[in-house]
Amino acid sequence: MVGMALAIDDAEPFSFAMPSTGRVALLMIDWQRDFLDEGGFGHCLGNDVAPLRTALKPAAAVLAAARAAGVTVVHTLEAHTADLADCPPAKLTRCPAIGTVLDAARGRVLVAGEPGNAIVDEVAPVAGELIVHKPGKGAFFNTRLHDELQRLGVTHLLLTGVTTEVCVQTSMREANDRGYECLVVADATESYFPQLKRAALEMIVAQGGIVGWAAPSADVIAALHGYTAPPPPPPAAAPLPPVTTAATTAAAASGRRTLLAVSGTLQDGFELRANLDAPGCAALLVGSAVVRGVRAFLDIKEEGAREHAGASPARVNPANVVTGNMAHANLYAVYLVHESVVLKALLGEPRYLAIAPD
């Protein structure tokens, strides 16, 4: 008889139980400043952000318990590329604020790498946790999430995040359709509109859990305290494709792909983004990376500017200078590109940093 590795007896609509052959992951959905900060995007739309922030404490407690148990943690951000190439026209039409600057301190709305697109400190990722930039409401659409979870052998998901009725519920429905057993932590998710949160939770657990389960954070934390994640499965014989889009399918058919990191300070201007696309294979933003020991100079600026190189003759080309000083750091946007564009990119703009060819 298979023992239960994780059980939440008082979940709705009935006990949530994962057998010892299963593996659970925690999805932290869109805990980003765009949605939770006063002055952020959600607030500028006329919403009261206070209800969302009430869910942060239980979400942080669930996150701490999951980390202590060795559970896989995934953070998502609703985030678009700087050129908005991954933003559907219909979405942009209904929400023209995307890509604009509503508050200079937060940068462009829902654009990857901007200050407002960062995860709030209370539930910020730590090293080794997966960060997924999603261009839609669901965590699985046009992302590598399903492949990553399959690679890790994940069968069950716990979800926290905002907002309940939009990104959390959409992600849970997507996961359910892909065969995952899902539970939303009821007090670790919130909405700007309390009645919509109630309705979403009711829909999730209706008809015998048509989408999944719901339970309070105290019960989830208690279950996690008695759970220890199994060791990761052995690596697959062949690497899984990070994405499953038509563009990368074409790339796989016509050549190898490479992860290319681009200096985050250079996402606008210089036509850099266009240089990353190959015929029939658009580059795909897969994440961000902070590289320490590197200092970036756009050009020689006047004294007092951040990129001022002083009178030193040591400034070199390319403009990403490896200093070895851990106090220096630069932010890179990481793209999956067809190998045919790499040489063109490196020759045309030395501010690229190529990493991890597969």
Side-chain angles (χ1 to χ4, degrees), residues 266-281:
L266 301 174
Q267 291 301 289
D268 297 317
F270 302 103
E271 299 182 350
L272 297 188
R273 174 62 183 79
N275 289 346
L276 299 182
D277 293 331
C281 182

Side-chain angles (χ1 to χ4, degrees), residues 187-264:
D187 55 333
T189 179
E190 264 301 341
S191 170
Y192 299 120
F193 310 102
Q195 70 275 19
L196 297 186
K197 174 185 174 178
R198 288 194 298 270
L201 293 179
E202 288 173 2
M203 285 188 283
I204 285 168
V205 303
Q207 301 179 72
I210 194 168
V211 180
W213 287 260
S217 60
D219 290 354
V220 175
I221 291 168
L224 287 170
H225 284 166
Y227 173 75
T228 300
L240 289 169
V243 291
T244 54
T245 64
T248 52
T249 300
S254 58
R256 289 158 56 104
R257 291 157 295 157
T258 295
L259 289 175
L260 190 69
V262 185
S263 178

Side-chain angles (χ1 to χ4, degrees), residues 47-117:
N47 298 307
D48 180 8
V49 300
L52 269 62
R53 300 199 71 87
T54 64
L56 268 175
K57 184 175 180 179
V62 171
L63 176 60
R67 286 170 174 165
V71 167
T72 295
V73 176
V74 181
H75 303 264
T76 75
L77 291 158
E78 186 171 350
H80 294 284
T81 56
D83 60 1
L84 304 184
D86 60 351
C87 184
K91 181 179 181 180
L92 194 57
T93 298
R94 292 194 304 273
C95 190
I98 294 174
T100 66
V101 177
L102 301 178
D103 179 351
R106 291 173 174 80
R108 298 174 65 203
V109 169
L110 296 186
V111 170
E114 295 287 350
N117 204 237

Side-chain angles (χ1 to χ4, degrees), residues 3-142:
M4 296 301 174
L6 185 70
I8 303 173
D9 293 336
D10 293 331
E12 294 183 8
F14 52 84
S15 177
F16 177 84
M18 184 185 74
S20 60
T21 54
R23 189 181 297 267
V24 69
L26 173 65
L27 297 190
M28 304 289 290
I29 305 291
D30 295 4
W31 291 106
Q32 59 201 75
R33 295 183 59 199
D34 282 324
F35 300 145
L36 278 86
D37 278 4
E38 288 198 9
F41 175 46
H43 187 240
C44 289
L45 293 178
N47 298 307
D48 180 8
V49 300
L52 269 62
R53 300 199 71 87
T54 64
L56 268 175
K57 184 175 180 179
V62 171
L63 176 60
R67 286 170 174 165
V71 167
T72 295
V73 176
V74 181
H75 303 264
T76 75
L77 291 158
E78 186 171 350
H80 294 284
T81 56
D83 60 1
L84 304 184
D86 60 351
C87 184
K91 181 179 181 180
L92 194 57
T93 298
R94 292 194 304 273
C95 190
I98 294 174
T100 66
V101 177
L102 301 178
D103 179 351
R106 291 173 174 80
R108 298 174 65 203
V109 169
L110 296 186
V111 170
E114 295 287 350
N117 204 237
I119 295 172
V120 296
D121 291 342
E122 292 90 333
V123 290
V126 299
E129 294 178 348
L130 182 64
I131 301 173
V132 174
H133 290 174
K134 59 184 187 64
K137 307 305 181 189
F140 291 84
F141 168 68
N142 204 21

